[in-house]
Amino acid sequence: MSVLRFKALESVYTRRPLEVEAPSDKISDFYASNVFGKKAMREFLPDEVYKLVMEAIEKGIQLDRKIADHVAMGMKSWAMTKGVTHYTHWFQPLTGTTAEKHDSFFQPTLDGAALEVFDGGQLVQQEPDASSFPSGGIRNTFEARGYTAWDPTSAAFIMGKTLCIPTIFVSYTGEALDHKAPLLKALHAMDKAAVDVCQYFDKNVTKVTATLGWEQEYFLVDAALYTARPDLMLTGRTVFGHSSAKDQQLEDHYFGSIPERVNAFMRDFEVESLKLGIPVKTRHNEVAPNQFECAPIFEETNLAVDHNLLLMDVMEKVARKHNFRVLFHEKPFAGINGSGKHNNWSMATNTGKNLLSPGKTPKKNLQFLTFFVNTIKAVHEHADLLRASIAHAGNDHRLGANEAPPAIISAFIGSQLDAVLNELEEKVHTGKMSPDEKTELKLNIGKIPEILLDNTDRNRTSPFAFTGNKFEFRAVGSSQNCAGAMMVLNTIVANQLTDFKIEVDKIIEKGVDKEEAILQVLRRYIIESKNVRFEGNGYSDAWVKEAEKRGLSNIKTTPQALDAYVSKKSIELFKRFDIHSEREIKARHDIYLEAYSKKIQIESRVMGDLALNQIIPTAIEYQNLLINNVKGLKEIFSASEFKTLAEVQIATIKEVSEHISAIKTGVEAMIEARKKANKVEGARAHAIAYCEKVVPFFETIRYHVDKLELLVDDEYWPLPKYRELLFNR
Ligand code: ADP
Ligand code: MG
C-alpha cells in the first residue's frame, strides 16, 4: 500500500467517536438561543420598536433609519452578552455558497480608548468590496460596487463570535447579484396572486406564505482519506475509482443503524443547528454506503433557504471536528447513488390553512383543487424553466441516471387524485350545468379524503410528486441553493394563479356563478396540462419514449437546459412580476454557463494531473516489477520452461502498457479539446464546447484508470479505493 494511503487508513483506525454534550437534554432549553428572534427582540428592544419591527416583517415595509438604530443597538447588546466581537452581512452570491465579510464592533476613540459601535447604518446597508463575485458583466470593474441590504424577515444569528445579518446583494444600478433578492420578489408575487384567488373561498385570507421543507442528502468521508484524494478535495467528487466489490447491492445501509462516529457527528451538528433555530428533526442512513440524510420541519421559504445554507455550513465545520469531510456533491462516487435535496413545497394562509391539503367540505376541496390544478398547470407551462432551475454540472450526473428523477419534468399525483381530475374533465362542461349535475359534482368533490397522505402511493421516480399535502420537487441537487428552484416554482405558480383569476372573473362577469366558473377554468387547465401528468415508472426507457411522444422535453445537459432562463417566454414572465429585468436574467444566464465551464475545466485538469502524475507513474513502477520478474525467470529457467512460466506476467505487462498508452493519448486529446474550447467565444458556446468536446474524455480516461486499479499491486496504488472511502466511518 502506498505510504500516503497507508497513513490515511491507519489514522482512520485509531479514531474514536468524540463525546458530544448537548447544552441540555431538553432542546427547548437552547433552541434558537443564537438567534435574534422574537424572544431576544422582546427582551432587547423597546416595546414600540419591537412592534414596528414585527409589522415591517409581516407587511414587508422598510424600517426608517431611526428605528434601525434602535434595532442595531438592541442587536449589539444581545450579541455582546454572548461574547460576540464582530458582525457581518451574510449573503448569497451566485457562486453557490454564502459569503461574509467580518467587521469588528471595536472602534478606537480620539482619546486612545475604544468603543463597541454598531448603528442602524451598519445594520441596514453595507458595501462589501465584492468586485470579484460573478455579476455577468453587470458591474464593470471600474464601478465594481454592489451593496448588501438587510433582510429583516430572516433573523440575525451568531456563528462563532460573529453576528450574522442576512442580506440581499444588489448592484448600485439595482440589479440583483444574489439568490435571495429574486426569491423574495417571487415569494411576494406568490403571496399576492394566492391571496387574490383565496378571496373566492375565504375573505379572511390576507397573506399566503410559500412553505419549504428540504431534505438534505450527503456523504461522509474520513478526513484522512479525503486528503489523500486530490479529486475529492478539488472537485468534490472522485474522478477515478473502480467500484467496490460490495457497495449498495445488499440494500443494507438504507435506514440501517447509524454508525457511532457518524451518530456523534449528527448529534453535534444538530445541536449547533438547533441553537441557530434550524428545526432539524429527522436523520437517517441513505441508500449508498456512507450516505445520509437530514431534514428539518418545514418553514417559510425564505427562512428555510437560509437555514439550509446555514446547515450546510455548520455541517462542514462540525464534520472537521469529528475528522470527517462532508460531501454535498451530487455524484461523489460513480456506480452508486448520488445525492439530492428534495424540496417539499406548499402554500399556507394566515388563517392557518395549508392550501394543498384537502378539507372536509366541498367548498374547501374546491379551494384545494384550485391550487392543486393551478400548480400542475404551471409546471406544464414552464417545465423547461423548472428544469433550468436545477441545472448545474453536478446534477448532470444524476438526472436520468436511474437513481434520480429523469431530466424530463413530469408530475405524479397518485391514483385517487388522478381519478378526481379525470372525473372533472369528463363531467364539467362549458354550457350551463343542470342542478343535478352540480349536486353530483359537489358531492364528489366533497369526497376527496381529508387525509391523502397514506393514499398517495409514493412514486419515488417522479421529479415533481404530490405527497398528500405538498408537492415534492425531487430533482434539486444536493449542493444547490434551493433559492433558484424556489424562485422559479413560486414565480410560475404566481403567474398561473394570476391568469386563473383573470379568466374566472371574465366568466363570472358573463353571469355564470362563481363555483361553476372556477370549475370551467379548472377543467380546461386539467385538459391542457394532462401531458405533464405521469403515474408510471419515471426511470424506465418506456417513459423516455412516451414523453417524447407527448412532446415533453428531455434536456440532458446543463448548457442546453439553461437556455430556458432566457427564452422569450421566461423573460416575459420575470418582467411581469418584476423579478428579473432582461439584462439581469441574461447576466445570470452567463454566470451559470461560466460556472459550468469552469467546473468542467477544473475536473478535466484534476483528471489530467492525477493521470499523469500519479496513475501512469504507479503503473510503470508496477510494470517494472513484472519486467524484473520476467528477466529473472529468463535467467533461471530454460527457454521452454520460461515460455509457460512468464506467460501471465508478459500478458500483464502488455495490458498495463495498453492502458497507459490509452490514458496518455486520452489526456493529451482532452487537453487539446480544452485548448480549443477555451478559444470559443460566448458563454453559451464555450459551455457547450466543454460539454460536448471535453466531458466525453472523462469516461474513456476513467475506464482505463479503473482497469489499472484492478491490475496494479494494491501496495502501489496511490489513491484510497472506493471500499476504503465508503466503508470507513
Ligand atoms: P419523506 O419525504 O422523507 O417521506 P416527509 O414526507 O415526512 O418525509 O416530509 C418531508 C419534508 O416535508 C419535511 O421536511 C417536512 O417538514 C416537509 N413538509 C411537510 N409538510 C409540508 C408543507 N406543508 N410544506 C412544506 N413542506 C412540508
Ligand atoms: Mg421526501
Side-chain angles (χ1 to χ4, degrees):
M1 192 177 297
S2 76
V3 177
L4 189 65
R5 217 172 116 223
F6 177 77
K7 279 198 173 148
L9 273 170
E10 191 187 29
S11 78
V12 179
Y13 290 121
T14 55
R15 301 225 197 282
R16 292 273 162 278
L18 260 183
E19 290 292 327
V20 181
E21 281 213 29
S24 151
D25 287 337
K26 277 204 340 248
I27 289 175
S28 55
D29 286 346
F30 61 91
Y31 183 64
S33 57
N34 283 345
V35 180
F36 194 62
K38 279 188 187 170
K39 192 169 154 244
M41 280 197 240
R42 227 179 279 127
E43 194 179 332
F44 285 86
L45 298 183
D47 279 353
E48 237 153 87
V49 175
Y50 173 79
K51 267 189 220 139
L52 285 170
V53 175
M54 286 298 130
E55 201 184 296
I57 291 173
E58 212 164 281
K59 298 189 179 150
I61 35 182
Q62 279 215 330
L63 281 174
D64 73 37
R65 175 61 204 271
K66 256 201 198 133
I67 304 297
D69 275 336
H70 282 291
V71 178
M73 219 153 42
M75 232 182 230
K76 186 186 76 182
S77 314
W78 167 76
M80 284 175 62
T81 62
K82 293 181 175 284
V84 167
T85 53
H86 286 66
Y87 69 93
T88 179
H89 275 199
W90 182 81
F91 59 105
Q92 303 168 22
L94 297 170
T95 44
T97 42
T98 55
E100 37 197 86
K101 176 189 166 225
H102 296 205
D103 275 303
S104 173
F105 287 142
F106 153 83
Q107 192 156 57
T109 53
L110 284 176
D111 57 3
L115 275 176
E116 263 72 35
V117 178
F118 181 60
D119 64 21
Q122 287 154 311
L123 167 65
V124 171
Q125 192 169 318
Q126 278 252 302
E127 209 178 297
D129 178 24
S131 45
S132 47
F133 285 114
S135 70
I138 279 178
R139 284 172 306 139
N140 295 318
T141 6
F142 64 86
E143 51 156 22
R145 296 168 87 194
Y147 66 92
T148 51
W150 181 34
D151 165 21
T153 59
S154 182
F157 57 88
I158 295 169
M159 276 283 242
K161 298 245 174 256
T162 304
L163 170 68
C164 302
I165 298 147
T167 54
I168 57 168
F169 180 36
V170 278
S171 76
Y172 267 101
T173 39
E175 281 93 0
L177 299 170
D178 71 345
H179 282 293
K180 191 192 258 283
L183 175 68
L184 288 173
K185 288 178 175 176
L187 293 171
H188 177 72
M190 225 296 292
D191 176 13
K192 178 161 184 328
V195 166
D196 284 351
V197 170
C198 280
Q199 295 302 305
Y200 289 138
F201 308 98
D202 183 354
K203 298 276 182 226
N204 294 321
V205 173
T206 54
K207 188 165 175 71
V208 172
T209 29
T211 50
L212 166 64
W214 40 262
E215 301 163 58
Q216 178 72 55
E217 290 182 336
Y218 60 95
F219 278 86
L220 285 177
V221 172
D222 184 87
L225 295 171
Y226 173 92
T227 326
R229 291 281 320 209
D231 48 355
L232 273 184
M233 285 175 57
L234 300 181
T235 71
R237 76 177 184 100
T238 52
V239 296
F240 300 133
H242 197 280
S243 56
S244 162
K246 172 188 186 290
D247 46 51
Q248 66 188 42
Q249 321 77 327
L250 299 179
E251 296 169 353
D252 52 355
H253 192 251
Y254 192 51
F255 281 12
S257 77
I258 299 173
E260 205 184 339
R261 180 148 73 103
V262 175
N263 202 51
F265 156 72
M266 286 177 171
R267 263 172 48 100
D268 206 2
F269 88 70
E270 282 168 8
V271 166
E272 290 311 312
S273 305
L274 289 162
K275 284 190 208 160
L276 288 164
I278 308 171
V280 282
K281 180 98 171 149
T282 49
R283 54 161 101 128
H284 60 80
N285 292 357
E286 263 301 328
V287 174
N290 270 3
Q291 190 188 25
F292 307 93
E293 181 186 294
C294 140
I297 296 166
F298 69 91
E299 299 175 284
E300 183 278 313
T301 300
N302 175 42
L303 191 61
V305 167
D306 284 1
H307 279 168
N308 178 243
L309 293 167
L310 253 179
L311 174 105
M312 289 165 81
D313 197 18
V314 169
M315 281 171 78
E316 262 170 358
K317 287 185 174 128
V318 174
R320 284 168 193 251
K321 255 178 41 191
H322 292 261
N323 288 308
F324 276 129
R325 284 308 173 89
V326 52
L327 308 179
F328 289 119
H329 193 285
E330 283 73 15
K331 193 74 178 175
F333 304 99
I336 56 172
N337 277 18
S339 303
K341 178 145 57 195
H342 294 178
N343 278 205
N344 296 271
W345 169 91
S346 188
M347 294 156 281
T349 64
N350 59 310
T351 54
K353 171 118 182 75
N354 175 354
L355 291 170
L356 288 177
S357 168
K360 288 198 181 80
T361 62
K363 189 173 161 189
K364 284 206 174 123
N365 277 348
L366 187 59
Q367 176 176 305
F368 158 72
L369 281 173
T370 296
F371 284 92
F372 181 69
V373 171
N374 270 285
T375 304
I376 294 169
K377 172 89 159 114
V379 171
H380 178 260
E381 294 308 302
H382 293 280
D384 286 354
L385 187 55
L386 215 46
R387 168 68 183 92
S389 77
I390 48 156
H392 85 137
N395 228 7
D396 279 4
H397 295 278
R398 225 170 59 92
L399 300 176
N402 269 341
E403 55 164 276
I408 309 162
I409 299 290
S410 69
F412 166 86
I413 61 174
S415 51
Q416 275 187 317
L417 285 167
D418 201 46
V420 173
L421 297 200
N422 289 340
E423 200 200 345
L424 285 180
E425 183 183 335
E426 215 177 279
K427 302 242 164 92
V428 181
H429 49 79
T430 40
K432 200 162 166 51
M433 278 196 265
S434 72
D436 278 357
E437 282 176 327
K438 268 196 206 167
T439 319
E440 196 201 332
L441 253 182
K442 256 196 180 170
L443 249 165
N444 287 338
I445 290 173
K447 272 192 215 144
I448 300 174
E450 193 178 350
I451 295 178
L452 284 165
L453 284 173
D454 303 328
N455 301 318
T456 43
D457 46 325
R458 301 290 190 97
N459 184 337
R460 292 266 158 205
T461 66
S462 175
F464 198 81
F466 187 70
T467 51
N469 59 359
K470 61 187 184 288
F471 278 99
E472 189 167 334
F473 188 21
R474 299 213 183 95
V476 185
S478 49
S479 73
Q480 289 189 285
N481 183 335
C482 312
M486 286 297 108
M487 181 278 279
V488 167
L489 180 59
N490 286 289
T491 304
I492 64 177
V493 173
N495 180 58
Q496 195 53 61
L497 290 169
T498 309
D499 285 347
F500 174 77
K501 171 96 167 88
I502 294 169
E503 296 183 68
V504 171
D505 284 351
K506 258 193 209 148
I507 301 177
I508 294 175
E509 271 168 30
K510 287 186 197 146
V512 177
D513 85 41
K514 186 174 74 186
E515 276 173 23
E516 217 176 306
I518 289 172
L519 283 168
Q520 281 182 15
V521 178
L522 288 184
R523 172 173 180 262
R524 188 156 55 70
Y525 285 3
I526 290 169
I527 297 169
E528 287 169 356
S529 62
K530 208 166 182 179
N531 271 343
V532 87
R533 270 159 57 199
F534 178 62
E535 301 293 297
N537 179 4
Y539 295 178
S540 68
D541 292 334
W543 170 230
V544 176
K545 290 201 190 98
E546 164 73 15
E548 201 183 330
K549 257 200 249 155
R550 294 189 189 186
L552 302 180
S553 327
N554 183 5
I555 313 168
K556 296 215 176 73
T557 64
T558 293
Q560 310 277 355
L562 290 172
D563 282 349
Y565 271 124
V566 286
S567 69
K568 224 174 139 225
K569 193 171 164 187
S570 302
I571 291 175
E572 287 302 313
L573 170 76
F574 290 134
K575 267 197 210 155
R576 182 182 191 185
F577 296 97
D578 192 24
I579 287 165
H580 283 304
S581 66
E582 186 167 344
R583 174 169 129 110
E584 202 176 78
I585 193 66
K586 285 191 168 157
R588 206 158 279 242
H589 181 232
D590 273 1
I591 291 168
Y592 294 151
L593 286 165
E594 274 166 24
Y596 174 85
S597 304
K598 282 182 191 157
K599 276 204 178 133
I600 301 297
Q601 185 183 48
I602 293 170
E603 285 187 4
S604 164
R605 282 181 178 161
V606 167
M607 204 171 212
D609 289 356
L610 281 181
L612 300 183
N613 302 331
Q614 294 206 19
I615 307 299
I616 292 182
T618 303
I620 291 175
E621 206 180 340
Y622 176 58
Q623 205 182 30
N624 283 337
L625 185 88
L626 294 176
I627 290 170
N628 284 334
N629 175 271
V630 171
K631 280 186 187 156
L633 291 174
K634 196 163 192 175
E635 264 173 37
I636 301 172
F637 293 101
S638 71
S640 65
E641 272 175 309
F642 169 75
K643 201 162 174 265
T644 38
L645 289 174
E647 201 177 355
V648 173
Q649 291 88 320
I650 291 172
T652 312
I653 291 169
K654 275 193 192 149
E655 233 184 301
V656 170
S657 280
E658 278 159 18
H659 290 306
I660 290 176
S661 113
I663 293 168
K664 181 89 169 107
T665 341
V667 171
E668 277 166 3
M670 179 171 73
I671 293 172
E672 275 314 304
R674 230 161 54 206
K675 280 187 188 155
K676 273 198 196 139
N678 289 341
K679 291 207 185 89
V680 176
E681 302 260 343
R684 183 172 183 275
H686 187 225
I688 288 179
Y690 263 99
C691 180
E692 289 175 359
K693 304 284 192 247
V694 179
V695 170
F697 285 106
F698 290 5
E699 206 177 314
T700 47
I701 296 171
R702 177 173 194 145
Y703 171 82
H704 293 286
V705 172
D706 291 357
K707 285 284 173 203
L708 279 179
E709 186 186 319
L710 292 186
L711 280 176
V712 171
D713 186 347
D714 189 56
E715 285 273 335
Y716 292 96
W717 199 253
L719 301 171
K721 297 186 171 179
Y722 269 26
R723 61 168 185 265
E724 293 156 358
L725 293 166
L726 291 170
F727 290 94
N728 282 299
R729 53 190 73 138

